[in-house]
């Protein structure tokens, strides 16, 4: 009689969609943290004893000391495309596979970037408030004027999957697209998206909308700061749906208050979930609580992919989307 392989044990650090939990439970013994706050570190360590798999969120910090305290851990599966909450180099040194959830959220995140961009330029949140406060008592020619989007220049910082999906949508608005990325796109992509590579200064000086899509790396930390903000047009808007610390929030608050730029749309914050107190009082910034990938379908796909990644590693297969595939070939 063929022996059945033992079911792997995994910890899921926060509640996932029902479908993803069913998938996990069909192939693993699941310890689910069902609380609505991240597990405190000591509890995370305790619950990872004897469990080689972790499915976690960006609110879980997986650093070297945690990895050192969890010798049974073999895979950390993040339910996100970004993985700056995980010390990947430390995981690689310890032979722990790290996975993320790219692709499945690209289009949804690009949609939301445009939601923020349009809402910011056309002052949608202020307009909504205006109506609710009973101020819409007559049509007026000069009320709630915003910036045009069509025909303007869009500057995309970080021209990966999401940056490109954002640029593709700009074709419909007949915009000129500039992009800046450490590795320039091939000619065919530039032609298809009608996008041109630019150095950072040129992009900032010439764009009417600057949208940030870089990962958070030492090189991108505070990429947008007091100096780079002053390079932008006074009529320009900054949109950030990538990672908060790419923008120096205090400098942005000053720029918005003093009119160095016209406005900003933010989905992410430097010290998330804290928001710089000055931003909260400014009318020319639209604030969202890190929801760019938050559509029903996409969040289910992200969670399913994360579970699949985790189970694949523990079942001895190559996970669909590893971050440090070199660990797999070392085994
Ligand atoms: C969300 O921020 C993600 O990285 O997927």
């Amino acid at each position: 009689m063929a022996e059945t392989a033992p079911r792997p044990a995994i910890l899921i650090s926060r509640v996932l969609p029902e479908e993803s939990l069913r998938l996990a439970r069909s192939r693993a013994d699941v310890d689910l943290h069902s609380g609505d706050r991240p597990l405190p570190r000591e509890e995370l360590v305790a619950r990872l004893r004897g469990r080689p798999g972790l499915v976690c969120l960006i609110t879980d910090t997986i650093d070297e000391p945690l990895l050192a305290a969890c010798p049974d851990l073999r895979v950390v599966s993040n339910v996100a495309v970004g993985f700056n909450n995980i010390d990947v180099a430390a995981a690689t040194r310890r032979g722990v596979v790290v996975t993320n959830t790219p692709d499945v959220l690209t289009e949804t995140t690009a949609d939301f970037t445009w939601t923020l961009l349009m809402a910011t330029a056309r002052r949608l949140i202020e307009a909504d408030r205006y109506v609710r406060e009973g101020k819409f008592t007559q049509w007026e020619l000069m009320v709630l004027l915003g910036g045009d989007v069509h025909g303007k220049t869009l500057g995309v910082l970080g021209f990966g999957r999401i940056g490109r999906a954002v640029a593709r949508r700009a074709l419909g608005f007949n915009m000129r697209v500039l992009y800046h990325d450490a590795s320039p796109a091939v000619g065919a992509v530039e032609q298809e998206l009608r996008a041109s590579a630019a150095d950072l200064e040129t992009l900032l000086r010439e764009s009417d909308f600057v949208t940030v899509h870089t990962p958070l790396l030492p090189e991108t930390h505070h990429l947008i700061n007091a100096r780079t903000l002053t390079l932008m047009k006074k009529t320009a808007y900054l949109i950030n749906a990538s990672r908060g610390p790419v923008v120096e929030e205090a400098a942005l608050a000053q720029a918005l208050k003093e009119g160095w730029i016209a406005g900003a749309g933010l989905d992410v914050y430097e010290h998330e979930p804290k928001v710089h107190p000055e931003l909260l009082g400014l009318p020319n910034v639209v604030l969202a609580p890190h929801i760019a990938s938050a559509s029903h379908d996409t969040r289910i796909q992200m969670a399913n992919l994360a579970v699949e990644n985790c189970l694949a590693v523990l079942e001895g297969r190559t996970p669909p989307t590893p971050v440090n595939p070199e660990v797999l070939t070392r085994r």
Side-chain angles (χ1 to χ4, degrees):
M1 215 169 72
E3 271 187 38
T4 44
R7 286 157 62 87
I10 69 175
L11 172 65
I12 300 182
S13 75
R14 289 289 281 278
V15 172
L16 301 181
E18 236 351 278
E19 181 180 317
S20 319
L21 291 175
R22 262 200 307 276
L23 173 66
R25 287 178 174 133
S26 71
R27 283 158 50 197
D29 290 333
V30 174
D31 178 13
L32 170 69
H33 167 56
S34 52
D36 61 1
R37 296 280 152 193
L39 277 171
R41 169 166 289 243
E42 314 74 65
E43 200 179 333
L44 187 55
V45 169
R47 288 169 77 162
L48 281 172
R49 204 156 298 137
R51 295 200 170 84
L54 170 65
V55 177
C56 62
L57 304 191
I58 55 174
T59 43
D60 297 305
T61 300
I62 312 299
D63 55 15
E64 174 101 61
L66 183 117
L67 290 163
C70 300
D72 299 320
L73 196 57
R74 288 176 49 212
V75 51
V76 175
S77 177
N78 219 27
V79 191
V81 65
F83 45 83
N84 51 290
N85 57 310
I86 302 170
D87 185 339
V88 178
T92 304
R93 281 196 296 279
R94 291 172 180 277
V96 174
V97 181
V98 176
T99 65
N100 68 340
T101 62
D103 300 316
V104 292
L105 48 62
T106 299
E107 300 301 326
T108 300
T109 303
D111 286 349
F112 189 77
T113 301
W114 275 88
T115 306
L116 262 184
L117 188 154
M118 301 290 284
T120 304
R122 297 303 305 273
R123 303 174 60 183
L124 184 65
I125 308 304
E126 285 177 86
D128 176 273
R129 211 172 293 134
Y130 182 86
V131 174
R132 288 174 201 267
E133 287 172 359
K135 294 182 179 157
F136 184 34
T137 54
Q138 59 173 340
W139 187 85
E140 291 191 61
L141 190 66
M142 299 304 287
V143 159
L144 287 165
L145 305 185
D148 265 329
V149 175
H150 66 274
K152 299 285 184 177
T153 296
L154 178 71
V156 183
L157 286 181
F159 209 50
R161 300 177 190 83
I162 296 171
R164 292 175 193 199
V166 168
R168 183 168 297 112
R169 284 155 176 75
L171 291 168
F173 286 87
N174 200 24
M175 294 174 92
R176 170 182 179 230
V177 176
L178 300 176
Y179 75 89
H180 178 72
D181 195 287
S183 36
V186 296
V189 171
E190 290 191 344
Q191 268 165 25
E192 185 209 336
L193 300 177
R194 280 193 258 130
S196 315
D199 59 65
L200 180 63
E201 292 211 353
T202 306
L203 182 146
L204 293 170
R205 283 187 205 286
E206 296 191 8
S207 297
D208 300 294
F209 297 90
V210 173
T211 182
V212 182
H213 300 288
T214 57
L216 176 60
L217 302 167
E219 313 81 272
T220 60
H221 183 261
H222 284 186
L223 181 67
I224 301 295
N225 54 37
R227 186 189 74 81
T228 48
L229 282 163
T230 54
L231 297 176
M232 290 175 65
K233 297 180 185 181
K234 280 192 164 21
T235 51
Y237 299 88
L238 177 75
I239 308 300
N240 188 10
S242 64
R243 283 293 181 265
V246 177
V247 175
E248 188 180 358
E249 226 163 72
L252 176 63
Q254 188 182 359
L256 291 168
K257 214 165 60 184
E258 297 179 3
W260 309 355
I261 64 173
L266 305 177
D267 187 42
V268 288
Y269 304 90
E270 190 170 354
H271 304 289
E272 222 166 285
K274 286 201 193 91
V275 179
H276 193 286
E278 276 186 342
L279 291 177
L280 294 170
L282 292 171
N284 53 347
V285 59
V286 173
L287 306 170
H290 202 149
I291 56 167
S293 64
S295 72
H296 294 289
D297 290 349
T298 292
R299 285 286 163 90
I300 289 172
Q301 287 185 59
M302 289 166 66
N304 283 352
L305 176 55
V307 168
E308 192 52 54
N309 272 322
C310 183
L311 295 177
V313 173
L314 300 180
E315 290 168 354
R317 289 177 293 105
T318 301
T321 51
V323 168
N324 55 352
E326 61 273 29
V327 174
L328 296 162
T329 53
R330 245 201 263 146
R331 289 164 166 231

